[in-house]
Amino acid sequence: MLLFIGFSIQSQTITTDFRSQKVFLKKDTIKFDSVAINPLNFKVLNKLLKPIDPSKYKIDFNNATLVIDAIAYPEITLEYFQVPKFHNQNIHPV
């Protein structure tokens, strides 16, 4: 019984690092976030929410910048995780 309670509590954990945003493109290059992006599970979806082949775009994960053909893809959805804030801070030894 305690085992199931542990799983139940763990499954309730909600991350605030996940982002999903619809973007209407007017130009080929966009900066879509202010922090670095985790390259794992990064997705660019077309207007039908089907994945776009990664060969069709370039992504700079450190600067959260995407380059994609705005004429071919005027509407996209981005799904990604931000790098946790403690990874974005500069740590200086004292």
Side-chain angles (χ1 to χ4, degrees):
M1 181 70 167
L2 292 176
L3 181 64
F4 291 117
I5 292 172
F7 284 127
S8 174
I9 292 171
Q10 180 65 26
S11 68
Q12 297 297 323
T13 303
I14 299 172
T15 179
T16 59
D17 297 330
F18 178 74
R19 300 286 186 265
S20 178
Q21 58 178 292
K22 185 181 285 193
V23 180
F24 297 95
L25 298 172
K26 295 183 178 167
K27 56 184 181 173
D28 292 343
T29 303
I30 61 165
K31 181 162 178 67
F32 57 91
D33 210 319
S34 60
V35 298
I37 303 305
N38 186 336
L40 300 175
N41 297 319
F42 176 80
K43 295 179 187 175
V44 180
L45 309 172
N46 65 20
K47 66 180 177 181
L48 301 175
L49 300 179
K50 302 288 183 191
I52 296 173
D53 188 317
S55 68
K56 304 290 184 186
Y57 59 85
K58 293 181 184 175
I59 180 76
D60 179 350
F61 293 105
N62 290 326
N63 295 309
T65 304
L66 176 72
V67 179
I68 190 168
D69 185 354
I71 295 172
Y73 304 101
E75 178 184 328
I76 61 172
T77 298
L78 301 173
E79 293 184 351
Y80 60 93
F81 286 90
Q82 293 178 321
V83 172
K85 294 190 186 336
F86 63 86
H87 286 292
N88 287 325
Q89 298 174 350
N90 291 329
I91 299 174
H92 301 284
V94 180

